[in-house]
């Protein structure tokens, strides 16, 4: 019996050691597919509270982003106006000089060209004259100016958000340092030195990098989606509804494909 126990004990130790190595390996590799982060929402709320002193600057940065997105969304509509000027000039040049646009449209209807007549009825025609290059240059200049201002404001917003996050992370580092000074010595005797260093350096660096890579992109993406949606509704609410109706279908397809892909990722992870 003693021999049996002595032979079985190392096997148990080896199994425990193997489990410990596997857990350490999983921890080093990060979350496996399908595994959720622990305390995600409480940690997120705490990070939001850490941004409290920077709230006025954050609101100002968001306001700058709203103006930037508005300029970038209105820009294509201005370019569309330039296209209208070109097309109107080409049509007007091919019409007899001095002709009455209403008579031209009535003549087209009499010839059965209803669609062409309807299109011309919505245009400001000047028969015999070509493209109004003065209006064209002014419109293009306005579009270029809007895009330039949008890019400048976007750069300023990114700079402001990065500075806000740097100050927030600096306060977080200071809080961690003060907490370490208050901890009793037995805490350092119990914890591994590498784990403490990882908490102080790597974890905070990861928080900083994650915030800098996600906050700016998230704010700009949300504002851009809202701006494009408003512009779509202003241009044609019927086409906007058709475009929005496709979104639920895309979400369902993405969910089905994502669920199947997640299983394959988990199998590959465990292999």
């Amino acid at each position: 019996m003693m021999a049996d126990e002595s032979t079985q004990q190392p096997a148990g130790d080896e199994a425990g050691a193997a489990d410990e190595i596997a857990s350490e390996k999983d921890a080093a590799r990060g979350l496996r597919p399908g595994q959720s982060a622990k305390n995600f929402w409480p940690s997120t709320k705490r990070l939001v509270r850490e941004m409290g002193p920077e709230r006025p600057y954050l609101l100002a940065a968001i306001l700058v982003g709203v103006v930037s997105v508005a300029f970038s969304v209105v820009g294509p509509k201005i370019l569309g106006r330039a296209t209208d000027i070109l097309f109107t000039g080409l049509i007007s040049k091919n019409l007899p000089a001095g002709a009455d646009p209403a008579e031209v449209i009535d003549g087209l209807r009499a010839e059965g060209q209803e669609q062409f007549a309807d299109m011309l009825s919505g245009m400001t025609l000047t028969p015999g004259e070509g493209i109004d290059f003065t209006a064209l240059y002014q419109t293009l200049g306005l579009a270029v100016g809007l895009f330039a201002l949008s890019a400048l404001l976007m750069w300023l917003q990114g700079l402001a958000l990065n500075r806000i996050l740097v100050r927030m992370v600096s306060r977080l580092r200071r809080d961690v340092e003060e907490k370490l000074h208050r901890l009793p010595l037995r805490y350092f005797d119990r914890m591994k030195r590498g784990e403490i260093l990882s908490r102080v350096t790597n974890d905070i660096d990861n928080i900083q990098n994650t915030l800098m890579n996600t906050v700016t992109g998230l704010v700009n993406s949300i504002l851009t989606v809202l701006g494009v949606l408003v512009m779509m509704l202003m241009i044609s609410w019927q086409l906007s509804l058709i475009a929005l109706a496709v979104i639920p279908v895309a979400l369902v397809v993405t969910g089905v494909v994502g669920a199947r892909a997640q299983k394959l990722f988990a199998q590959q992870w465990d292999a």
Side-chain angles (χ1 to χ4, degrees):
M1 292 295 294
M2 295 294 294
D4 294 339
E5 292 179 358
S6 62
T7 56
Q8 292 177 359
Q9 184 67 26
D13 293 340
E14 291 179 358
D19 293 339
E20 184 177 355
I21 293 174
S23 61
E24 292 179 356
K25 183 178 179 181
D26 290 339
R29 294 162 66 185
L31 295 175
R32 67 190 301 274
Q35 183 179 1
S36 301
K38 296 181 179 179
N39 301 324
F40 176 77
W41 290 113
S43 300
T44 302
K45 292 179 181 179
R46 185 174 180 181
L47 284 177
V48 172
R49 287 197 300 268
E50 289 290 336
M51 293 184 181
E54 308 294 338
R55 190 170 300 171
Y57 304 101
L58 184 61
L59 293 177
I62 293 176
L63 180 61
V64 171
V66 170
V67 178
S68 174
V69 170
F71 285 165
S72 64
V73 171
V74 174
K77 189 173 183 179
I78 303 298
L79 290 177
R81 188 182 303 171
T83 304
D84 293 339
I85 294 174
L86 283 172
F87 188 70
T88 301
L90 293 175
I91 296 296
S92 298
K93 187 177 181 180
N94 293 325
L95 296 178
D100 186 5
E103 294 179 356
V104 174
I105 294 174
D106 292 338
L108 291 174
R109 294 187 188 279
E111 295 176 0
Q113 302 183 26
E114 293 291 339
Q115 293 183 351
F116 191 40
D118 292 338
M119 182 182 66
L120 294 184
S121 63
M123 301 169 59
T124 304
L125 299 173
T126 306
E129 296 186 6
I131 300 173
D132 187 356
F133 286 100
T134 301
L136 179 62
Y137 293 151
Q138 291 176 352
T139 304
L140 292 177
L142 178 60
V144 171
L146 288 177
F147 284 124
L149 284 175
S150 175
L152 177 61
L153 292 175
M154 192 71 69
W155 177 77
L156 291 176
Q157 184 206 31
L159 181 63
L161 287 176
N162 285 336
R163 290 189 175 183
I164 290 172
L165 295 177
V166 166
R167 288 196 295 265
M168 188 200 76
V169 173
S170 178
R171 289 195 304 272
L172 186 61
R173 292 183 187 276
R174 185 180 65 247
D175 294 341
V176 171
E177 183 180 2
E178 293 176 355
K179 179 64 178 294
L180 289 176
H181 291 165
R182 295 194 303 268
L183 291 174
L185 291 178
R186 63 177 179 273
Y187 175 83
F188 298 97
D189 294 335
R190 186 175 68 253
M191 299 295 294
K192 296 180 180 180
R193 185 180 304 174
E195 184 175 353
I196 297 176
L197 291 175
S198 178
R199 295 279 183 90
V200 176
T201 57
N202 295 339
D203 290 356
I204 296 181
D205 287 340
N206 290 334
I207 292 174
Q208 181 177 359
N209 294 331
T210 301
L211 290 176
M212 286 187 174
N213 293 330
T214 57
V215 171
T216 303
L218 181 63
V219 171
N220 292 335
S221 298
I222 293 175
L223 294 177
T224 302
V225 169
L226 294 177
V228 171
L229 180 60
V230 171
M231 187 58 62
M232 289 171 58
L233 293 174
M234 291 176 60
I235 294 174
S236 175
W237 64 269
Q238 295 91 341
L239 293 177
S240 300
L241 292 179
I242 294 175
L244 293 176
V246 181
I247 295 179
V249 179
L251 292 177
V252 171
V253 174
T254 303
V256 173
V257 174
R260 294 184 178 181
Q262 194 175 55
K263 295 179 181 179
L264 296 177
F265 290 154
Q267 294 175 1
Q268 184 178 5
W269 183 278
D270 296 332

